[in-house]
Amino acid sequence: MTTIKLARIYTQAGDQGGYRILVDRLWPRGISKANAHLDWWCKEVAPSPDLRKWFNHTAEKYPRFAARYQAELAANPAYQELKARVQAQLPVQDVILLFGANDERHNQAVVLKECLVRDIGLPTSTTAG
């Protein structure tokens, strides 16, 4: 069964087979576009610059960040496009949401995955990463 996975963009692409979507607004440092092996860079779905700067990857702010980011996603047409692409890919391959943050538990990709699982109606037991 195919899943939605999370991975740091710095993880070797060979380790992560599937449809690879970068969900950061800023291009990750030190990664060439050729070496990223992306299928899509969906920067428009990333948190707004103001929200990203406020959060500043501070774990204590994560619950408030997640709530604010979900509100942004609800009003963001790019989220609907992301959801449609994910739904189209899941029947044939895993979808990997890529991010650059060091903290693998407190970042926008985690929030995005939770929203996609909920909005697509996937059982949580079939999602990984």
Side-chain angles (χ1 to χ4, degrees), residues 57-85:
H57 297 285
T58 305
E60 294 78 30
K61 291 182 178 178
Y62 182 76
R64 288 180 290 158
F65 165 77
R68 291 178 184 180
Y69 183 37
Q70 286 178 25
E72 283 188 0
L73 289 173
N76 186 346
Y79 175 69
Q80 297 304 318
E81 183 180 357
L82 173 68
K83 185 171 79 168
R85 285 208 194 192

Side-chain angles (χ1 to χ4, degrees), residues 21-67:
I21 305 170
L22 177 62
V23 295
D24 285 351
R25 186 171 304 273
L26 304 174
W27 189 262
R29 293 180 187 157
I31 298 284
S32 72
K33 293 195 175 166
N35 289 337
H37 303 285
L38 292 182
D39 293 297
W40 186 31
W41 180 16
C42 186
K43 59 185 164 186
E44 299 82 8
V45 80
S48 66
D50 287 343
L51 181 57
R52 180 180 55 81
K53 289 174 188 170
W54 171 82
F55 175 47
N56 197 31
H57 297 285
T58 305
E60 294 78 30
K61 291 182 178 178
Y62 182 76
R64 288 180 290 158
F65 165 77

